[in-house]
Amino acid sequence: MSQCRVCSAALEPVIDFGRMPIANGFLKDPKAKEFFYNMAVGFCPSCLMVQLTEAPAPEMMFNDSYAFFSSTSRAMAEHFRGNAEEVLARTSRSSAPFIVELGCNDGIMLKNLAAKGVKHLGIEPSSNVARAARQNGVNVTEKFFNAATAQAILKEYGPADVICGSNVFCHIEDINSVFAGLAILLKPEGYVYFEDPYLWDIIQKSSFDQIYDEHVYYFSGLSVRNLAARHGLELVDMAHQEVHGGSMRYYLKRKGVQAPASAVAEWIAKEKELKIDVIDGYRVFKSKVDVICRDLKALLVDLKAKGARVVGYGATSKSTTLLNYAGIGPELIEHISDTTPTKIGRFTPGMHIPVKAYEDLVPGGVRYVLLLAWNHKKEIMAKERAFQAQGGKFITYFPAVVME
Ligand code: TMP
Ligand code: ZN
């Protein structure tokens, strides 16, 4: 029985996916030895945190070959420009605000602040994306954030008006040390915001592909409120985001600085409606996940039997979970199209489906596209109108398998 990383209580099992490779571990050589770990999710009945029971060492994932560059999607670039504007609007009363971002990736958010001369610091352990951030004019330190890093930053730069992170807090296994760091570095009136895939969306859509090695935690208002309270912080607001198939942005301040906005109680009520505060909610989730995998595989096998050719769209990290758990390999998907240079020419983790450049997306005779980057559906559908106009079909699978 594994223990909750936040409060040490015994975890209750939610779902066991079995052997999984590293989600972003695209292979140059499909015969190369691959790292596998056992991927399973547990629910803490005490602090309500949902988490992986076993997480690979961070160095296995966030290193010089980290394959994910934030700026490959136009919609994401727009989203983060919006984040930067919000930061500026909220700190306008401070004469020279200092903004710290954890996991700044290629600088997709901070470059907007750097361009305006705002004092900032990006903290990014993956050196290849950190390099890209520097090229975007961002001040970066290549470190993992924790209490010791927070002390060092405080000494060098002073306290922060804003500490933020997008799709990074849920990556950090020692989340208590991150929160201890926030409490060290934050100005008395400063605020923290972070956004990550939202547990409520995952349960509602059965979008289990958000579960992979990098996502140690699946946050909710309920669990974040408990976690913050352990470190003298308070959840004061929540704002739902469309990105990554449904994310939540959590705002924290030091305890007692600001009364929580009504959104906190409203979202927590919605979370309780979905029963994410009790193990029963997760039993329903598990059975829905298994139905989706069974239906999707059956559809692909049927298309194959009919001689149809299917390609995938977007070699996303999350598709590693879907493809490996459902058992979908190159015998069912010819190749996956992706625009990321570091993925093109490689093979997907575990299932070894070749990744090809966008230009090769739909060779003659392909009528079916499995939309693996389903979180970018709007952007992709708009771009691929011609494919559908010519009778092409997209296959999607959350909350159920459909062709459109
Ligand atoms: P994400 O779901 O983690 O944001 O990853 C999206 C992946 O999909 C990334 O590898 C880039 C790829 N992609 C395309 O190939 N074409 C597109 O139009 C979009 C939006 C993404
Ligand atoms: Zn706990």
Side-chain angles (χ1 to χ4, degrees):
M1 180 69 76
S2 32
Q3 277 187 326
C4 174
R5 292 177 182 82
V6 175
C7 77
S8 304
L11 294 177
E12 296 189 17
V14 170
I15 183 163
D16 190 340
F17 292 92
R19 246 167 61 97
M20 274 287 159
I22 296 292
N24 258 315
F26 291 87
L27 300 161
K28 276 189 195 144
D29 173 4
K31 292 195 196 75
K33 193 166 155 33
E34 231 177 326
F35 173 83
F36 286 89
Y37 69 104
N38 187 70
M39 189 170 93
V41 176
F43 164 70
C44 175
S46 177
C47 76
L48 310 182
M49 188 65 83
V50 174
Q51 55 201 281
L52 291 182
T53 57
E54 180 189 330
E59 294 75 18
M60 293 299 301
M61 303 173 277
F62 311 112
N63 49 41
D64 195 35
S65 51
Y66 189 53
F68 183 79
F69 281 71
S70 295
S71 296
T72 48
S73 157
R74 209 165 339 129
M76 290 306 278
E78 195 46 40
H79 174 81
F80 286 112
R81 204 180 52 76
N83 279 10
E85 264 166 25
E86 188 190 315
V87 166
L88 285 181
R90 283 183 179 241
T91 52
S92 59
R93 277 187 299 162
S94 179
S95 56
F98 175 40
I99 319 296
V100 175
E101 187 182 29
L102 317 192
C104 67
N105 200 278
D106 53 16
I108 190 167
M109 195 287 280
L110 281 182
K111 71 177 179 191
N112 299 286
L113 298 180
K116 293 195 159 84
V118 177
K119 181 180 166 190
H120 68 275
L121 178 65
I123 302 168
E124 176 52 68
S126 301
S127 55
N128 59 336
V129 284
R131 235 173 358 253
R134 265 185 217 109
Q135 279 159 10
N136 283 324
V138 173
N139 180 32
V140 190
T141 175
E142 277 174 40
K143 289 205 175 91
F144 288 100
F145 185 81
N146 52 36
T149 324
Q151 288 286 10
I153 296 170
L154 183 67
K155 209 163 147 210
E156 188 175 347
Y157 294 86
D161 293 79
V162 180
I163 309 173
C164 59
S166 296
N167 306 303
V168 61
F169 277 54
C170 76
H171 289 184
I172 306 176
E173 185 168 6
D174 191 358
I175 195 73
N176 277 322
S177 82
V178 170
F179 272 64
L182 298 176
I184 289 167
L185 187 57
L186 193 65
K187 266 193 189 165
E189 306 279 319
Y191 77 95
V192 174
Y193 82 81
F194 64 97
E195 60 184 53
D196 285 290
Y198 185 29
L199 182 61
W200 182 86
D201 282 285
I202 296 173
I203 301 291
Q204 203 209 22
K205 299 193 242 300
S206 308
S207 49
F208 69 95
D209 62 352
Q210 290 296 351
I211 301 168
Y212 57 89
D213 52 89
E214 292 179 19
H215 297 165
V216 182
Y217 298 101
Y218 305 88
F219 294 132
S220 60
L222 284 161
S223 61
V224 168
R225 188 169 64 176
N226 288 336
L227 170 59
R230 300 176 77 86
H231 297 276
L233 300 168
E234 192 167 4
L235 176 61
V236 294
D237 206 355
M238 294 169 74
H240 192 259
Q241 312 291 315
E242 286 310 313
V243 295
H244 286 300
S247 296
M248 181 55 79
R249 187 180 301 161
Y250 306 89
Y251 295 87
L252 313 177
K253 289 201 171 178
R254 289 188 186 276
K255 191 168 169 44
V257 168
Q258 184 185 313
S262 58
V264 173
E266 285 159 21
W267 277 108
I268 284 180
K270 287 175 73 145
E271 292 173 4
K272 287 184 173 169
E273 259 171 55
L274 271 191
K275 293 196 169 181
I276 67 176
D277 55 339
V278 285
I279 191 68
D280 285 357
Y282 300 94
R283 297 209 172 103
V284 176
F285 170 65
K286 157 99 172 70
S287 59
K288 287 185 179 168
V289 166
D290 288 342
V291 168
I292 288 171
C293 289
R294 190 195 63 202
D295 289 356
L296 180 60
K297 176 125 189 212
L299 171 67
L300 295 174
V301 167
D302 183 51
L303 289 173
K304 179 81 184 179
K306 289 181 175 138
R309 295 167 58 194
V310 186
V311 299
Y313 200 119
T316 55
S317 356
K318 58 189 169 294
S319 62
T320 296
T321 298
L322 175 84
L323 298 169
N324 283 275
Y325 188 53
I328 297 168
E331 69 293 346
L332 296 174
I333 306 287
E334 274 181 31
H335 74 264
I336 299 175
S337 159
D338 201 284
T339 50
T340 315
T342 45
K343 294 181 187 176
I344 295 167
R346 298 203 179 197
F347 296 83
T348 66
M351 300 312 289
H352 303 175
I353 302 172
V355 181
K356 293 196 176 172
Y358 179 63
E359 292 66 39
D360 306 327
L361 175 61
V362 191
V366 173
R367 279 273 158 272
Y368 299 93
V369 168
L370 181 63
L371 189 54
L372 297 166
W374 60 269
N375 49 315
H376 299 287
K377 184 173 170 182
K378 243 193 233 156
E379 181 175 347
I380 291 170
M381 292 286 204
K383 206 159 57 174
E384 307 301 343
R385 279 208 194 93
F387 169 67
Q388 275 180 307
Q390 289 156 18
K393 297 270 185 229
F394 280 104
I395 301 168
T396 54
Y397 35 86
F398 295 136
V401 178
V402 286
M403 282 205 278
E404 55 187 303

